[in-house]
Amino acid sequence: MNACQQLAITQFGQPSVLAMQTAEIPVPSDSQVLVRVAYAGVNPIDAKTRAGLGWAAQQNKDNLPWVPGYDIAGKVVKVGANVQELAVGERVAGFVGFPLAGGGYSEYVAVEADALSRVAKGVPLANAAALPLAGQTAWQALDKGQADENDRVLILAGAGGVGHIAIQLAVARRANVMASCSAANMAFVSGLGATAVDYHQAPLAEQIEPVDVLIDLMGGDIGIAALDCVKAGGRVVTIPTITADAVCEQAQLQGLEAEGMLVSPSVEQNNAMMAMLEAGQLQLHIAAQYPLSDGAKAHSDIEAGHTRGKIVLAVGSSE
């Protein structure tokens, strides 16, 4: 059998445009390994691309059907001729195909061997699949914001996929962390080590003292309003690309340092966070697991905007 199942974007639009398709199992090149995918992470960029928004969508508009997915975890089933660092049977995870190739929503994926992290036996593959894109976004945002020991850091959407990881990474840096969330997520966010701030209660600037660093995971009017929380000369990193220019322009008018960010795959950062997972120093909350064929439901959940932690697709093999 040389065929595998994939979930593809057949045309741009609502989640219902996602459909299962059959494809040939890829043959790894000399520098690649073939991974039998156990789980694929679901990220907001997947849904944005499916809706026809953003650069990946524009670049792939003539390549439909196109298989999304940048986070995978599974087992190596074949290695290329020049691959020495990984062997058949090893558990691996990684941030793959970013931004134009995608491909994670598939039972088998050929991946450059040096793009993958080993997954320790004690780490569930579902958690390993949920980590790469969100974790590296959180890590790089904190780096860009120069968040350091004793800095006051505000993270918007602290209960979300990137937010709940960013809280823990900022706490590990010994920052003083605050995070916005709904009332339903106050205990969850507090349990991660942040001071939880209910955004429904009052404007954030009325609830907290000024901060050194704002990690804006919301963008738009919410991101702009949160600028009032940042002290003069403070630092702002905004993640949603569609509103980054507007947030940065307003931040600069208010005397703040601000920049947008596009995550860049880093296996070194992924390895470091995998080690934290294994040591129990980082917790990944999985909000839901759906079969690959139910990817439309996963996209609907992501677009609803109230997911606590991460969503993954159960693609193929068991642990």
Side-chain angles (χ1 to χ4, degrees):
M1 177 177 168
N2 62 350
C4 68
Q5 294 297 301
Q6 302 175 325
L7 185 67
I9 297 169
T10 57
Q11 62 187 65
F12 294 135
Q14 296 298 315
S16 59
V17 304
L18 292 166
M20 296 296 291
Q21 68 179 27
T22 300
E24 287 189 10
I25 295 175
V27 176
S29 71
D30 287 352
S31 60
Q32 293 181 326
V33 297
L34 182 66
V35 178
R36 185 175 66 219
V37 178
Y39 295 93
V42 180
N43 293 288
I45 189 174
D46 302 350
K48 184 173 82 168
T49 303
R50 187 217 69 240
L53 303 173
W55 191 61
Q58 291 309 303
Q59 294 297 309
N60 281 297
K61 65 182 187 295
D62 296 324
N63 298 331
L64 303 181
W66 183 77
V67 179
Y70 300 113
D71 286 337
I72 64 161
K75 291 184 179 179
V76 176
V77 293
K78 187 179 293 186
V79 299
N82 296 335
V83 174
Q84 297 182 340
E85 60 268 37
L86 292 172
V88 170
E90 289 197 87
R91 304 164 89 240
V92 293
F95 184 3
V96 303
F98 186 80
L100 295 182
Y105 293 9
S106 181
E107 290 180 320
Y108 290 87
V109 179
V111 184
E112 293 296 319
D114 61 7
L116 294 170
S117 301
R118 287 186 175 86
V119 180
K121 287 183 179 179
V123 176
L125 287 175
N127 290 27
L131 176 66
L133 191 155
Q136 289 166 56
T137 300
W139 184 300
Q140 292 168 32
L142 292 168
D143 277 354
K144 198 170 279 286
Q146 301 171 43
D148 207 348
E149 185 172 358
N150 297 323
D151 275 340
R152 292 174 56 80
V153 178
L154 172 61
I155 297 169
L156 301 188
V162 175
H164 88 292
I165 300 172
I167 288 171
Q168 296 174 78
L169 295 178
V171 168
R173 295 178 181 217
R174 302 179 187 274
N176 181 4
V177 185
M178 286 133 281
S180 67
C181 62
S182 66
N185 284 320
M186 293 280 282
F188 174 67
V189 165
S190 296
L192 299 173
T195 299
V197 186
D198 182 355
Y199 58 80
H200 288 301
Q201 287 294 319
L204 298 178
E206 295 178 11
Q207 298 191 65
I208 63 174
E209 296 297 319
V211 300
D212 302 288
V213 181
L214 169 64
I215 305 297
D216 169 27
L217 301 175
M218 295 294 295
D221 292 342
I222 294 172
I224 288 171
L227 298 174
D228 292 341
C229 299
V230 187
K231 63 179 62 171
R235 306 178 295 280
V236 178
V237 180
T238 183
I239 305 302
T241 55
I242 293 173
T243 60
D245 287 348
V247 173
C248 290
E249 286 171 13
Q250 183 59 40
Q252 287 154 10
L253 288 174
Q254 294 180 214
L256 308 175
E257 298 178 21
E259 56 186 315
M261 193 197 93
L262 181 67
V263 65
S264 178
S266 167
V267 73
E268 292 81 14
Q269 291 170 7
N270 208 55
N271 287 342
M273 287 183 285
M274 283 291 176
M276 292 175 71
L277 276 180
E278 183 183 8
Q281 298 166 347
L282 180 64
Q283 307 297 322
L284 261 171
H285 182 78
I286 305 296
Q289 292 185 25
Y290 293 107
L292 184 62
S293 57
D294 282 352
K297 174 60 175 165
H299 277 223
S300 294
D301 285 1
I302 284 280
E303 289 178 323
H306 301 293
T307 299
R308 178 189 291 181
K310 290 280 298 179
I311 295 173
V312 297
L313 298 176
V315 179
S317 62
S318 65
E319 292 282 336

